[in-house]
Amino acid sequence: MSAVTEHAVRPVPERALRPAPQVTAHEIVTPRRTKRWIDWVTTTDHKKIGIMYLVTTFVFFGLGGMEALMMRLQLSEPNNTLLSGETYNQLLTLHGTTMVFLFVVPVMAGFGNYFVPLMIGARDMAFPRLNALSYWLLLAGGIVFYATLFFHPPEAGWWSYPPLASIQFSPSGGQDAWIFLIHLTGISSLLGAINFYATIVNMRAPGMSWGRLPLFVWAILVYAILLIIALPVVAAAVTMLLTDRHFGTHFFDPTAHGSPVLWQHLFWFFGHPEVYIMILPGFGMISEVIPVFSRKPIFGYKAIAASTAVIAFLATLVWAHHMFASPVPIVVLGFFMLSSFLIGVPTGVKVFNWIATLWRGSIVMTTSLLFAVGFIAIFVIGGITGIFLAVFPVDWQLNDTYFVVAHFHYVLMGGAVFSIFAGIYYWFPKITGRLLDERLGKLSFWVMFIGFNMTFFVQHALGLSGMPRRIYTYQPGLGWSTYNLISTIGAFILGVGIVLTIINVAINYKRGLLAGPDPWKANTLEWFTTSPPPVNNFDVIPRVRSVEPMRDIRRQIERQTGVSQKTGGSERFARM
Amino acid sequence: MRALANEQQIGRQRGHRARALSFALALSLLGSLAFAPIASANFLTLKHGGSPNANQISSLYNIILYIAAVVFFVVAGALLYSVFKFRAKKGAVAAQVHGNTRLEIGWTVAAALILVALTVITFVKLPKIINPPNSSTGGLVLSASVTQPTPPNGKKVTVCVQGRQYIWRYTYGNDCLNNAFASKLPYSYQLMVVPANTTVILDIQSTDVVHSWWVPSLGGKVDAVPGYTTYTWFKAPKASTPQRPVIYHGQCAQLCGRDHAAMTAQVQVVTPAQYTAWLSRQSDLISKANAQVTQLRAILTAQGVLSSNGNL
């Protein structure tokens, strides 16, 4: 089956030669009646909501990062007395909960909010006011949770296993604040998910069949479906925990024939799909960035879209691999080992397809692509260590150790966060109309890449040497001290790398080079409008004829005018 | 035009400097990774050596490690090669390939085959990991017991492990599960003493929150969940000698509260003779301590500090 297409020789039908729209969109300037901040608070514009999502989640990312650095400082040497066991447990709970519920999941909603309507040629989300509600519920959840800093933060970890999280062992209101955080961010994500689903199913540009949907939009669609499947389960579970704590029920109370293992099943039935909820949109961004900067169509579009759906299906069947050391029969462990193995196949397919897209491309190494390539390298390690953990006898040794900490940071920090950074460098020009500094960006990448690997690679060795996770201190002479020191130094290097990008954004938000509508010569419709896009996104919504509508439009204009399209600043990136 | 060219040249020089810097950083990373293993063992391998199940898990891990290393180097190699080889050059045109069904089916099947192989290897290894063997000759001779799991000849030492915030309690005796407190079985805290060459079965319970029993050299971890009893076993080959004490370290692996880090465990392996001697000495010490408590209670009751039912 030959899939090579020759564009030059294909006859051009007369119809295609109609004048291509030159002015793609224009700003309608209305006299400003309200103050600027009221504009933001009352907005239902998906782009403004998207920006609010991105800014808010990055504030939480900063908080979560500071919590991580404090924990790393505490562990930098044995018998350190910087933090008490109580404070350390509070920090690990804050860090885990923040990164999962207030950063990675909602930051993907932020990107989705801004770019899904633009990529499918819609003028807004299906339910704009619901969209605003999603954002405000997220913020409310974050405030409820972080308000505990002034009272008593929760300290039972982000899984909050009962009985530790029950009223006897966690009497403080911090645990209840954690429950309300799950409820508020849960409703926020659920509403957001329904909104994404309705938008993507109903509001695509003419001609944009399922086979022409951008891969990022595919990822957001599946992300939404997974959220709709997983979130009601955790909402029910935390409600049961709440009634156990305050209203006399005994769902998880072993002294009254309740079962702590029930919580583990319910939590992880949500918790494992949550992992894919966090990483699938990242996969989608990588699938957008790589073809653009390889100047090549994505290799195996159908396989990538299908693997996203297969991963989502399997994600609901693997939860008990978090519970291999719990009281669960061996035959169940065998089932969950096999289902976890299976998920490796579609994930592997994605990685192979990305590499095949780079293969024989004409690679323009922008910062965005650098982050994408770094993502693949790191994610491969995280994926492979996942196979170790899926083998349940091996997991009996590795579960709840620093090996697991290393594994999921390779997947979520090196995976999701690196893809988020690839997305930031790729889409910042669209959001602000200005380019980020490429040199500073590349420096940021290398500092992050080195800091990341230094922090987390040695954590595999820590786990293998017997260090359990979530301990606030350790004795010298166990072979852990050197690894921990390396890891702590690495964490600060990683922090510097992240700050470099934040500086880059702060400087270039107002002063960066003007980007023009399509600085990268990209493939998807968001580049068809001005940067930043006007409130109505598009004056004309073009008919979509392939997965790469912008390429078709550029080619059409080139054919009509006979000159190569000079778009924004893309020539700057021709040879880097 | 000339200004532009100049600018490009400067840009290129800067690019070289950035590349040199990045190489230097990458070298320093590799350096730190290369020297780390010298700092201590278990950089890439699991702890083992204390028990056959730990050894089997470790060899299973090593097989996966070899396969994983090959997969990683192939994938990372392809990634690095394509990134360096296919940089944009003047006149280079990207191949407009949309896919290749045969290739895509090929690598899907290849990935699946690797996982099938891993599944087979795991299930081949599994019986040796979960089923305890008989005690060796020279091990302690014991009566049979009905608690699971059990070696083929049914002879074993049973120790009940009870997790509580933040200490492990060990009760010695085949009947420990049914009456850990009522019977006068010897017990100890934190330090477990076991006979060498003998199959030791652990019955694990918790009295408060979820804990996890884990001594890496003696096998995998098992959660101690209140309301459940879980089991594991080990069979340590070497006994302590006065010159070389054999003590395996472990600690609670499931977050159990503020002093989770302090919930450590030590397992000392002694000869069967030393073990029986230790048990009777422990029983002696416990009954003496109990006698002292009874005596003290009697005195305090006589003085009127405690009421006749023993309360304050």
Side-chain angles (χ1 to χ4, degrees):
Chain A
M1 196 170 143
S2 163
V4 182
T5 49
E6 287 297 324
H7 301 288
V9 292
R10 195 193 281 166
V12 182
E14 199 57 38
R15 235 166 355 100
L17 288 174
R18 275 179 301 189
Q22 290 285 332
V23 177
T24 53
H26 68 278
E27 185 74 80
I28 303 159
V29 183
T30 47
R32 181 174 291 281
R33 284 176 312 219
T34 54
K35 290 206 169 70
R36 189 157 293 224
W37 69 270
I38 294 179
D39 270 3
W40 284 95
V41 171
T42 58
T43 188
T44 57
D45 175 14
H46 72 99
K47 297 181 289 298
K48 279 192 167 159
I49 293 171
I51 290 170
M52 291 199 292
Y53 259 109
L54 293 175
V55 171
T56 309
T57 51
F58 262 85
V59 169
F60 286 124
F61 181 48
L63 288 169
M66 277 186 268
E67 287 147 16
L69 289 180
M70 283 167 76
M71 287 191 284
R72 274 320 321 168
L73 265 186
Q74 163 67 18
L75 292 175
S76 60
E77 55 173 30
N79 284 331
N80 199 351
T81 51
L82 179 72
L83 303 175
S84 66
E86 181 186 356
T87 318
Y88 188 86
N89 286 0
Q90 292 169 347
L91 283 171
L92 70 85
T93 308
L94 286 169
H95 171 76
T97 310
T98 303
M99 289 308 196
V100 172
F101 294 99
L102 296 172
F103 177 55
V104 182
V105 174
V107 82
M108 297 309 185
F111 280 108
N113 248 298
Y114 201 104
F115 291 105
V116 163
L118 284 167
M119 289 175 108
I120 63 173
R123 295 210 160 98
D124 205 322
M125 296 282 282
F127 309 113
R129 275 174 286 188
L130 203 61
N131 202 18
L133 180 64
S134 290
Y135 169 75
W136 292 108
L137 283 172
L138 168 74
L139 187 66
I143 289 170
V144 164
F145 187 60
Y146 268 91
T148 62
L149 281 182
F150 303 103
F151 306 98
H152 195 116
E155 46 182 305
W158 84 273
W159 320 333
S160 291
Y161 272 13
L164 186 60
S166 58
I167 194 87
Q168 296 93 321
F169 298 99
S170 295
S172 86
Q175 194 59 45
D176 299 303
W178 180 84
I179 291 171
F180 287 121
L181 162 106
I182 305 295
H183 272 313
L184 287 166
T185 58
I187 299 168
S188 157
S189 296
L190 208 51
L191 293 178
I194 292 165
N195 213 343
F196 281 129
Y197 188 86
T199 309
I200 296 167
V201 169
N202 294 308
M203 296 170 65
R204 302 192 305 279
M208 186 178 278
S209 58
W210 290 112
R212 293 173 189 167
L213 196 65
L215 285 165
F216 176 70
V217 182
W218 263 114
I220 290 288
L221 181 72
V222 174
Y223 156 94
I225 293 170
L226 268 182
L227 279 170
I228 293 168
I229 292 172
L231 279 172
V233 178
V234 77
V238 298
T239 307
M240 289 156 82
L241 183 61
L242 187 73
T243 59
D244 264 20
R245 285 172 61 81
H246 296 294
F247 306 112
T249 59
H250 303 284
F251 294 112
F252 310 122
D253 177 7
T255 61
H257 299 285
S259 167
V261 178
L262 172 64
W263 168 270
Q264 298 181 12
H265 280 293
L266 291 175
F267 185 83
W268 289 118
F269 182 82
F270 147 81
H272 204 83
E274 181 83 342
V275 171
Y276 290 96
I277 287 165
M278 289 191 272
I279 195 69
L280 284 178
F283 287 171
M285 294 182 198
I286 300 302
S287 305
E288 294 298 332
V289 166
I290 286 181
V292 168
F293 295 113
S294 305
R295 305 286 180 234
K296 251 186 85 183
I298 187 85
F299 189 91
Y301 169 89
K302 278 183 192 158
I304 292 184
S307 67
T308 308
V310 172
I311 287 174
F313 173 71
L314 292 173
T316 59
L317 295 176
V318 297
W319 76 90
H321 70 210
H322 295 266
M323 301 165 54
F324 281 162
S326 295
V328 177
I330 288 279
V331 61
V332 177
L333 302 188
F335 172 83
F336 282 98
M337 175 178 87
L338 293 178
S339 60
S340 309
F341 272 178
L342 275 184
I343 224 165
V345 175
T347 315
V349 164
K350 276 181 189 290
V351 171
F352 298 146
N353 276 312
W354 291 326
I355 295 174
T357 307
L358 289 164
W359 195 265
R360 290 176 63 205
S362 179
I363 296 171
V364 185
M365 195 50 96
T366 56
T367 309
S368 180
L369 187 65
L370 204 50
F371 271 104
V373 170
F375 159 90
I376 298 177
I378 290 170
F379 187 80
V380 166
I381 295 179
I384 287 175
T385 53
I387 294 294
F388 286 84
L389 295 169
V391 180
F392 62 89
V394 174
D395 185 76
W396 288 336
Q397 283 286 16
L398 298 175
N399 186 21
D400 274 322
T401 69
Y402 264 84
F403 191 93
V404 174
V405 176
H407 160 72
F408 70 73
H409 280 93
Y410 263 83
V411 177
L412 290 179
M413 172 74 217
V417 173
F418 272 59
S419 67
I420 289 164
F421 274 64
I424 287 173
Y425 279 91
Y426 180 61
W427 279 319
F428 185 84
K430 181 50 63 182
I431 298 176
T432 63
R434 290 171 189 278
L435 293 161
L436 285 170
D437 187 287
E438 285 287 310
R439 282 181 55 217
L440 192 53
K442 284 180 181 167
L443 183 65
S444 171
F445 168 80
W446 283 110
V447 175
M448 274 176 78
F449 187 78
I450 286 158
F452 172 83
N453 283 297
M454 214 172 139
T455 311
F456 293 109
F457 196 81
V458 288
Q459 290 189 0
H460 294 115
L462 270 176
L464 292 167
S465 326
M467 182 169 169
R469 63 194 286 199
R470 296 173 160 177
I471 55 171
Y472 79 98
T473 191
Y474 52 92
Q475 300 299 312
L478 295 165
W480 303 344
S481 313
T482 317
Y483 295 149
N484 269 307
L485 184 62
I486 294 172
S487 183
T488 301
I489 296 169
F492 279 87
I493 296 174
L494 175 59
V496 168
I498 293 168
V499 168
L500 287 176
T501 287
I502 292 170
I503 292 172
N504 201 349
V505 168
I507 293 175
N508 293 302
Y509 161 64
K510 284 241 164 94
R511 287 196 287 165
L513 291 173
L514 284 175
D518 182 15
W520 312 122
K521 287 200 172 176
N523 299 331
T524 39
L525 278 183
E526 76 269 32
W527 306 101
F528 182 58
T529 184
T530 55
S531 306
V535 176
N536 64 339
N537 292 352
F538 305 99
D539 287 355
V540 183
I541 294 167
R543 198 175 170 81
V544 176
R545 293 186 170 81
S546 73
V547 192
E548 297 155 328
M550 269 310 283
R551 254 177 105 130
D552 302 343
I553 290 166
R554 268 198 309 273
R555 207 176 296 138
Q556 194 176 344
I557 294 173
E558 277 164 25
R559 265 200 302 263
Q560 284 169 9
T561 58
V563 287
S564 175
Q565 275 281 288
K566 287 220 188 316
T567 46
S570 75
E571 284 69 23
R572 293 177 63 244
F573 306 108
R575 297 202 54 183
M576 275 210 292
Chain B
M1 216 37 215
R2 190 175 292 166
L4 185 71
N6 233 352
E7 212 169 80
Q8 275 178 347
Q9 202 170 355
I10 291 166
R12 218 165 291 152
Q13 279 169 357
R14 279 174 182 165
H16 284 308
R17 219 174 300 151
R19 210 160 293 164
L21 181 67
S22 61
F23 273 124
L25 287 170
L27 268 182
S28 69
L29 169 74
L30 284 177
S32 73
L33 291 180
F35 284 109
I38 299 163
S40 64
N42 301 111
F43 185 64
L44 284 174
T45 52
L46 274 172
K47 284 197 156 191
H48 60 283
S51 176
N53 49 356
N55 297 347
Q56 290 295 331
I57 293 176
S58 172
S59 70
L60 176 58
Y61 169 93
N62 288 341
I63 294 168
I64 304 171
L65 183 67
Y66 291 130
I67 298 172
V70 172
V71 172
F72 173 74
F73 285 114
V74 168
V75 175
L79 179 69
L80 278 179
Y81 178 81
S82 49
V83 165
F84 283 105
K85 171 83 200 222
F86 302 111
R87 285 300 177 87
K89 293 178 206 77
K90 223 176 197 134
V93 180
Q96 299 301 307
V97 185
H98 284 271
N100 182 326
T101 311
R102 221 177 270 174
L103 185 63
E104 288 175 54
I105 291 175
W107 63 43
T108 309
V109 171
L113 282 180
I114 291 174
L115 295 173
V116 168
L118 283 180
T119 309
V120 171
I121 294 165
T122 305
F123 281 109
V124 166
K125 285 261 182 196
L126 191 61
K128 282 191 173 169
I129 297 171
I130 53 176
N131 299 330
N134 284 335
S135 299
S136 311
T137 47
L140 199 59
V141 180
L142 300 141
S143 60
S145 156
V146 289
T147 13
Q148 296 285 329
T150 288
N153 67 5
K155 293 175 181 173
K156 61 192 179 178
V157 163
T158 306
V159 180
C160 283
V161 177
Q162 249 177 358
R164 64 171 76 162
Q165 287 177 327
Y166 303 94
I167 200 161
W168 295 105
R169 183 192 200 266
Y170 315 113
T171 315
Y172 302 81
N174 283 352
D175 201 26
C176 59
L177 197 60
N178 297 324
N179 45 1
F181 291 96
S183 66
K184 301 255 188 282
L185 290 173
Y187 59 87
S188 65
Y189 287 97
Q190 213 259 347
L191 176 72
M192 181 194 288
V193 177
V194 292
N197 287 318
T198 307
T199 305
V200 180
I201 307 292
L202 302 181
D203 296 354
I204 299 163
Q205 291 179 321
S206 164
T207 57
D208 42 35
V209 300
V210 182
H211 302 277
S212 193
W213 168 260
W214 185 40
V215 179
S217 302
L218 299 180
K221 61 182 71 62
V222 179
D223 282 2
V225 183
Y228 292 81
T229 306
T230 45
Y231 305 93
T232 188
W233 62 273
F234 62 83
K235 184 183 161 191
K238 273 184 302 187
S240 300
T241 57
Q243 293 80 33
R244 276 202 65 226
V246 177
I247 298 181
Y248 297 107
H249 295 265
Q251 69 188 89
C252 174
Q254 185 67 265
L255 180 66
C256 60
R258 289 173 191 176
D259 272 324
H260 169 49
M263 196 166 162
T264 54
Q266 258 94 46
V267 176
Q268 186 180 10
V269 187
V270 296
T271 60
Q274 286 170 326
Y275 173 69
T276 28
W278 180 84
L279 273 187
S280 59
R281 198 174 67 241
Q282 194 75 358
S283 297
D284 269 7
L285 288 173
I286 292 167
S287 57
K288 272 181 197 152
N290 282 342
Q292 277 184 339
V293 171
T294 318
Q295 211 177 353
L296 189 64
R297 271 181 186 281
I299 295 167
L300 290 173
T301 316
Q303 289 173 347
V305 179
L306 291 177
S307 63
S308 57
N309 64 5
N311 291 330
L312 269 173

